[in-house]
Amino acid sequence: MKALVRLGFLIAVMATTFLLAGSSVAGEGSDPLPSWNEAPTKHAIVEFIRATTDPSNTKFVPPEERIAVFDQDGTLWASHPIYPQLMYCLDRLPAVVKARPALAKIEPFRTALSRNMEAISKLSTKDLIKIMAAPLSGMSVERFRADAETWLETARHPRWGRRYTELTYLPMLELMKHLRANGYKTYIVTGGGQDFVRIYAEKTYGVPPEQIVGTLESVSYRYDKRGRPVLIETSETMLSDVGAGKPEAIHLMIGRRPRAAFGNSTGDRQMLEYTTSGDGARFGMLVLHDDPKREYAYGPALGLPDTKIGTFPQSLYDEAKRQGWFVTSMKSDWNRIWAFEQ
């Protein structure tokens, strides 16, 4: 009998040890941001979300005010050597010029037709918007969607040979998911075309079409040959969602000041200023591209190479430090960039 009691006790101890071990493993696996290194930025993100969703905390934010906004190009996916949407429009441009030959003789279309990526990357934001708008003009929204979907499935990035929607930053996807798990609505506020980003954003980022705020081209309500109503894309820009246009668009399209904002360039400066200048708990973060081996390195902040695609000047870096925004180093803060990395 004593032997049986002793055996039962040993079994109970072993079971308890097993359960505790399992609990420990589960705790280790519960890290919401596993692609982030254990560093100040990661800890600040986790603490901000914890504090603003704890009713007993003085930083608590009501559910209806939990809004986080993200730039896309260079913040959520790779934007070098050139913006993906611009690549789509460059691929469509020859057909547009064939129908409108005069475009071939004027800028910025003459430069765009050269396919000289270095020259194209030096064009102004205004010229890039012109290039992105021209190929869409005259297309129905349905045709544009079908055409862009086909391009997104077949086009490949010149460096990695992968679809552009695969070149999303895993740490940022984890961050968006963690925010949503804690009652935050995540919006994409991008200089890219609103209709273009809406095509893939839900599948790629988990962000539905109604939470995309982008550069907005006008559409025209018409009837097709069978008398059915259609919306036709035009080349008229209604809203340029860059720089000061971002907080303006946030007010017009969202109607609430965000609690957290994430960007990577001068085009996001005003969005972060607007977000973090509000009352109560706020969070601002910029992604610094400083990892040429795993992605790209450009600034020119901190002596990094200069660029017109996603410019991050020293003045923006200095402002981030003054404002208390976090600057996330790809090289130091992310242990993994891509989901397809081994």
Side-chain angles (χ1 to χ4, degrees):
M1 176 64 76
K2 289 182 179 180
L4 288 174
V5 171
R6 189 179 297 111
L7 178 61
F9 175 75
L10 288 172
I11 291 173
V13 170
M14 290 174 65
T16 302
T17 302
F18 176 77
L19 289 171
L20 288 173
S23 173
S24 176
V25 171
E28 292 172 0
S30 63
D31 182 357
L33 305 175
S35 298
W36 294 71
N37 288 323
E38 296 299 331
T41 302
K42 175 179 179 176
H43 298 157
I45 290 169
V46 172
E47 174 57 23
F48 171 80
I49 296 174
R50 186 202 66 77
T52 56
T53 56
D54 178 3
S56 66
N57 196 296
T58 56
K59 295 182 179 180
F60 177 71
V61 174
E64 65 272 15
E65 294 183 20
R66 293 177 199 167
I67 292 172
V69 292
F70 292 78
D71 168 59
Q72 182 192 222
D73 293 303
T75 300
L76 296 180
W77 73 353
S79 63
H80 270 233
I82 211 159
Y83 301 122
Q85 184 179 351
L86 185 55
M87 283 301 302
Y88 163 70
C89 293
L90 290 174
D91 286 346
R92 289 206 74 253
L93 194 56
V96 175
V97 172
K98 185 177 180 180
R100 300 163 58 191
L103 290 178
K105 300 177 182 179
I106 61 175
E107 293 293 356
F109 304 103
R110 183 165 56 186
T111 296
L113 287 168
S114 73
R115 301 290 294 202
N116 182 331
M117 296 304 170
E118 184 177 353
I120 293 170
S121 68
K122 293 178 180 179
L123 292 171
S124 68
T125 300
K126 186 177 180 180
D127 283 339
L128 294 179
I129 289 175
K130 285 181 181 179
I131 294 170
M132 289 191 285
L136 314 184
S137 182
M139 296 176 69
S140 70
V141 294
E142 290 80 7
R143 183 187 164 201
F144 166 59
R145 183 180 185 88
D147 189 74
E149 283 178 340
T150 298
W151 184 85
L152 287 163
E153 283 298 316
T154 56
R156 295 293 185 272
H157 190 281
R159 176 175 171 182
W160 289 281
R162 290 180 176 272
R163 293 191 302 273
Y164 287 93
T165 50
E166 293 181 82
L167 297 174
T168 51
Y169 304 134
L170 185 59
M172 298 303 287
L173 296 181
E174 293 171 354
L175 171 55
M176 295 179 97
K177 184 177 180 181
H178 186 43
L179 282 162
R180 290 193 292 265
N182 285 275
Y184 274 85
K185 274 190 176 182
T186 53
Y187 288 80
I188 294 177
V189 181
T190 173
Q194 182 166 284
D195 282 353
F196 184 78
V197 180
R198 281 176 168 175
I199 292 170
Y200 56 85
E202 190 158 27
K203 182 178 180 181
T204 303
Y205 305 118
V207 180
E210 63 270 20
Q211 288 170 217
I212 305 300
V213 180
T215 292
L216 188 58
E217 311 298 338
S218 67
V219 294
S220 176
Y221 184 82
R222 302 178 191 173
Y223 298 93
D224 65 13
K225 294 179 180 179
R226 298 173 60 184
R228 297 174 302 182
V230 293
L231 290 174
I232 302 296
E233 302 275 0
T234 78
S235 59
E236 180 186 353
T237 300
M238 296 177 63
L239 175 66
S240 179
D241 199 26
V242 179
K246 289 201 171 189
E248 292 167 359
I250 288 169
H251 172 73
L252 291 171
M253 306 290 282
I254 301 175
R256 291 182 187 272
R257 190 188 296 249
R259 289 289 178 155
F262 305 87
N264 80 110
S265 72
T266 52
D268 305 313
R269 182 198 300 263
Q270 290 89 340
M271 180 172 74
L272 267 73
E273 290 173 345
Y274 176 65
T275 297
T276 58
S277 63
D279 296 331
R282 306 280 165 172
F283 194 93
M285 190 193 89
L286 292 165
V287 175
L288 180 65
H289 295 257
D290 59 352
D291 194 332
K293 290 185 177 180
R294 295 188 297 169
E295 203 245 9
Y296 293 101
Y298 52 91
L302 304 182
L304 293 167
D306 201 355
T307 179
K308 274 202 170 185
I309 303 291
T311 307
F312 192 140
Q314 187 64 41
S315 60
L316 180 60
Y317 185 89
D318 294 340
E319 180 176 3
K321 294 303 180 182
R322 289 195 304 270
Q323 299 277 16
W325 305 337
F326 288 85
V327 177
T328 294
S329 160
M330 277 191 167
K331 188 174 183 179
S332 301
D333 287 317
W334 293 354
N335 62 65
R336 194 174 171 194
I337 292 180
W338 315 112
F340 55 80
E341 279 183 278
Q342 296 299 317

